[in-house]
């Protein structure tokens, strides 16, 4: 168009610098060569800012940043989890692979993980020019509940024991209920619990406190109980 000419040179290698020459030709003959160097597109760079958004019992919601190289948009990212010294493809949420958001932000949920465990994860980008370098991070799923504290009887009564204890929620995995057992002499058995408004074995109060009433007990009898 006018004095501008264009050409597409194919069959080149990615991430490579080429020296290309061009000259004009007319009925009067050929003109002088002019050369310049040009580079084909690069594979993705290393992932930056890999982090876990929050702790959860059996998954890791991950986020990282990875911008597109010039001329070769990132098509996907590979996510792997280390298991017994071997890297395996991570199990992701059923919606598919990592999703791209704005400003080069990528996210995915790695699922089917053990709780209370440190997991090594590595991620790399991929485009038509090749694969980027792996970047690894270690992240821990939520812990199981700790041992209850300050387990005590609120008040003695003839056939029941109103009990209270303190139990903080692990990060990312709130305690949903507590179990009480009584020593029968022949082993531990589930305690008989008085009805609660929520029909659960124990009621959560504020400040990490829990409360329950064990009933159907014999008068003037000492009992050994345990809670978790």
């Amino acid at each position: 168009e006018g004095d501008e000419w264009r050409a597409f040179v194919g069959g080149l290698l990615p991430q490579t610098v080429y020296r290309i020459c061009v000259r004009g030709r007319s009925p009067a003959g050929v003109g002088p060569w002019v050369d310049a160097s040009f580079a084909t597109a690069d594979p993705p760079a290393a992932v930056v800012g890999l982090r876990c958004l929050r702790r959860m019992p059996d998954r890791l919601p991950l986020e990282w940043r990875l911008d597109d190289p010039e001329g070769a948009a990132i098509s996907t990212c590979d996510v792997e989890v280390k298991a017994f010294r071997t890297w395996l493809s991570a199990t992701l949420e059923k919606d598919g692979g990592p999703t791209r958001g704005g400003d080069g932000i990528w996210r995915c949920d790695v699922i089917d993980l053990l709780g209370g465990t440190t997991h090594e994860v590595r991620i790399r980008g991929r485009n038509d020019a090749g694969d980027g370098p792996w970047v690894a991070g270690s992240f821990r799923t939520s812990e199981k509940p700790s041992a209850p504290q300050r387990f005590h009887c609120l008040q003695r009564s003839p056939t029941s024991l109103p009990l209270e204890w303190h139990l903080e929620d692990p990060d990312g995995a709130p305690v949903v209920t507590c179990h009480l057992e009584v020593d029968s002499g022949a082993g531990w058995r589930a305690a008989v619990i008085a009805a609660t408004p929520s029909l659960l074995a124990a009621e959560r109060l504020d400040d990490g406190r829990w409360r329950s009433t064990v009933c159907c007990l014999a008068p003037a009898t000492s009992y050994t109980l345990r809670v978790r």
Side-chain angles (χ1 to χ4, degrees):
E1 180 180 349
D3 293 333
E4 294 184 359
W5 292 74
R6 290 183 182 175
F8 177 81
V9 180
L12 304 180
L13 296 175
Q15 199 178 11
T16 303
V17 176
Y18 289 91
R19 184 182 177 193
I20 298 176
C21 302
V22 63
R23 69 179 178 180
R25 182 186 294 269
S26 74
V30 295
W33 286 106
V34 172
D35 67 86
S37 295
F38 306 96
T40 49
D42 295 328
V47 166
V48 296
L50 176 59
R51 67 188 183 112
C52 182
L53 296 177
R54 61 190 177 278
R55 294 184 69 183
M56 300 183 72
D58 59 355
R59 65 177 58 206
L60 294 172
L62 302 176
E63 180 182 272
W64 61 96
R65 183 186 179 101
L66 189 57
D67 294 321
D68 291 325
E70 181 185 357
I74 296 168
S75 56
T76 189
C77 290
D78 297 326
V79 183
E80 294 187 347
V81 177
K82 195 172 188 179
F84 304 107
R85 300 183 181 180
T86 301
W87 290 99
L88 303 174
S89 293
T91 302
L92 304 182
E93 194 70 80
K94 63 182 180 180
D95 292 341
T99 56
R100 180 202 296 262
D103 298 325
I105 299 299
W106 290 74
R107 292 190 179 97
C108 75
D109 277 18
V110 181
I111 62 173
D112 296 341
L113 300 175
L114 292 176
T117 304
T118 299
H119 299 274
E120 291 187 64
V121 181
R122 68 178 186 178
I123 296 175
R124 68 179 178 185
R126 177 177 293 180
N127 65 9
D128 289 341
D131 300 334
W134 289 107
V135 171
S138 295
F139 309 99
R140 190 169 180 85
T141 45
S142 298
E143 307 294 334
K144 62 183 179 182
S146 59
Q149 304 294 318
R150 303 195 292 275
F151 185 34
H152 64 282
C153 179
L154 296 173
Q155 182 180 355
R156 296 175 64 185
S157 60
T159 60
S160 63
L161 292 172
L163 305 172
E164 187 177 278
W165 59 95
H166 188 272
L167 183 58
E168 294 286 352
D169 290 325
D171 185 17
V175 178
V176 294
T177 190
C178 293
H179 295 151
L180 283 153
E181 292 186 345
V182 59
D183 187 358
S184 65
W188 292 96
R189 61 176 175 81
V192 179
I193 305 299
T196 63
S198 64
L199 302 180
L200 296 175
E203 287 293 316
R204 179 197 291 268
L205 305 177
D206 55 1
D207 301 326
R209 290 182 301 136
W210 289 75
R211 189 175 291 178
S212 185
T213 299
V214 178
C215 61
C216 303
L217 302 176
T221 303
S222 294
Y223 289 91
T224 300
L225 297 105
R226 66 181 183 181
V227 62
R228 70 174 180 183

